[in-house]
Amino acid sequence: MYDDVKNIEKLFSLDDKELLALADETRRKYLGDGVYLRGIIEFSNICDKRCAYCGISADNTLLERYHLSSEEILKAAGHIASCGIKTVVLQSGETDSLDDDWLARIIKEIKSSCDMAVTVSVGEKSFETYKKWKDAGADRYLLKIETTDPEIYSGLHPGMSLENRKRCLSDLKMLGYETGSGTLVGLPGQTVRHIAADIKYFNDNGFEMIGTGPFIPHKNTPLQDAKAGDVALVLRTIAVTRIVMKTVNMPATTAIGSMDRDFRDEALKWGANVLMPNFTPVPYKRLYEIYPGKRCISEPAGACAGCMEHLTEGAGRFIDWSRGGSARNEK
Ligand code: SAM
């Protein structure tokens, strides 16, 4: 039914009430009312890439760069575990200077000392590097495609290729990672048909996690004057993705919590089932500025873990403290 872009696009023509009801019913039927937590550590903002929308792009020479030590990362991971959260996400900019063996040692150390799933999100790497991290114990990998439209993609990613990003995602699936991708909603030139095509690509490839967030313009990027993504369209995209992909895990992203108000409670109602409290140590948190206005950058690491309960209950749901793997694999 959803092997045709047109059928996915048709879902976008449902009115808000119908779309919300269908997405909410699908989420409840396939996943229940639990909300999974993932503690994120943004361990470095060093990046070689020049993505036109991104505040930590190599071209932003005004940004102070940082890289956490192994000790700082392990301490933050221990903090996440002590809060009862069973997934750590290790995210950074993408750089050839990242030492693969160093990261493999960190993954091993976390896996041996804490009962947690490890998600890695450090960009495009070779099959061999992805294999090294999988062998070290990594469970999941996040690599958003942002858009599957070749023209929009090439206009925003100088020196990168859509084919290589797709190759990476296919390698990750082949290696047995729970694989995450997603769309940046509101990119210049993007239409609902493009977004429907992204969802078809995610569904065809059986990805287990999809992150959908609004594009938010950053003043030190070429897209500084572009319009931000429309929250209503982000919510509708989450809903359509839920209806098409059923069991997929989807965060109410920090980006959707960083608009003129926090829309994460709405995202939970429109089909999301994951929240991602931030455990990056405070002195560095504000430097991981992929977009402006990011939530809670001056609060102590992990402080938002407390407000997750509040947010979840407000949406009529509860926190599920399990690892929250893909419903197709583990629980
Ligand atoms: N380097 C890794 C990668 O490429 O997947 C992970 C880090 S990257 C900064 C994480 C995500 O930030 C990107 O996938 C993108 O969707 C998001 N992002 C970057 N700039 C953004 C912006 N201006 N507005 C909203 N999201 C943005």
Side-chain angles (χ1 to χ4, degrees), residues 64-81:
E64 185 188 329
R65 304 285 167 167
Y66 72 91
H67 193 297
L68 300 194
S69 65
S70 320
E71 291 70 30
E72 286 172 312
I73 297 175
L74 293 172
K75 190 171 165 212
H79 185 189
I80 293 171

Side-chain angles (χ1 to χ4, degrees), residues 78 123 145 282 331:
I145 196 114
V282 168
K331 183 74 177 133

Side-chain angles (χ1 to χ4, degrees), residues 53-54 56 91-94 121-123 142-144 146 165 184 214-216 288 290-291:
Y53 43 80
C54 187
I56 67 166
Q91 191 178 80
S92 72
E94 179 180 327
S121 179
V122 301
L142 298 178
L143 184 72
K144 282 170 76 169
E146 326 293 0
R165 208 148 181 97
L184 205 41
F215 154 67
I216 304 174
Y288 199 79
I290 50 187
Y291 47 79

Side-chain angles (χ1 to χ4, degrees), residues 30-87:
Y30 287 91
L31 296 170
D33 284 339
V35 173
Y36 301 131
L37 299 185
R38 325 292 197 202
I40 183 164
I41 307 169
E42 297 148 337
F43 69 87
S44 165
N45 67 354
I46 297 170
C47 194
D48 302 342
K49 300 295 174 190
R50 303 172 53 220
C51 306
Y53 43 80
C54 187
I56 67 166
S57 154
D59 285 343
N60 184 2
T61 51
L62 298 172
L63 183 66
E64 185 188 329
R65 304 285 167 167
Y66 72 91
H67 193 297
L68 300 194
S69 65
S70 320
E71 291 70 30
E72 286 172 312
I73 297 175
L74 293 172
K75 190 171 165 212
H79 185 189
I80 293 171
S82 73
C83 292
I85 297 174
K86 294 202 176 58
T87 296

Side-chain angles (χ1 to χ4, degrees), residues 83-215:
C83 292
I85 297 174
K86 294 202 176 58
T87 296
V88 55
V89 181
L90 302 173
Q91 191 178 80
S92 72
E94 179 180 327
T95 173
D96 289 343
S97 65
L98 176 69
D99 180 340
D100 300 349
D101 294 314
W102 172 84
L103 187 57
R105 282 194 298 275
I106 289 179
I107 295 167
K108 262 192 204 146
E109 181 68 36
I110 295 175
K111 293 299 288 187
S112 64
S113 56
C114 312
D115 172 26
M116 279 202 287
V118 173
T119 303
V120 180
S121 179
V122 301
E124 298 177 21
K125 297 287 170 182
S126 65
F127 181 89
E128 290 69 33
T129 296
Y130 289 148
K131 182 166 186 322
K132 186 177 284 179
W133 295 335
K134 188 82 186 68
D135 292 344
D139 303 273
R140 308 176 190 148
Y141 202 100
L142 298 178
L143 184 72
K144 282 170 76 169
I145 196 114
E146 326 293 0
T147 175
T148 53
D149 182 72
E151 222 171 283
I152 301 176
Y153 190 92
S154 64
L156 296 173
H157 300 99
M160 294 169 72
S161 90
L162 183 58
E163 282 63 42
N164 193 51
R165 208 148 181 97
K166 287 185 172 172
R167 188 274 303 160
C168 290
L169 285 160
S170 143
D171 285 355
L172 291 162
K173 276 295 285 183
M174 206 182 312
L175 284 162
Y177 280 94
E178 275 187 26
T179 304
S181 195
T183 297
L184 205 41
V185 171
L187 292 172
Q190 187 189 51
T191 63
V192 166
R193 175 154 306 176
H194 292 132
I195 296 173
D198 295 346
I199 296 171
K200 175 172 155 40
Y201 167 75
F202 302 147
N203 193 37
D204 288 352
N205 286 279
F207 298 145
E208 288 89 356
M209 305 175 284
I210 297 298
T212 303
F215 154 67

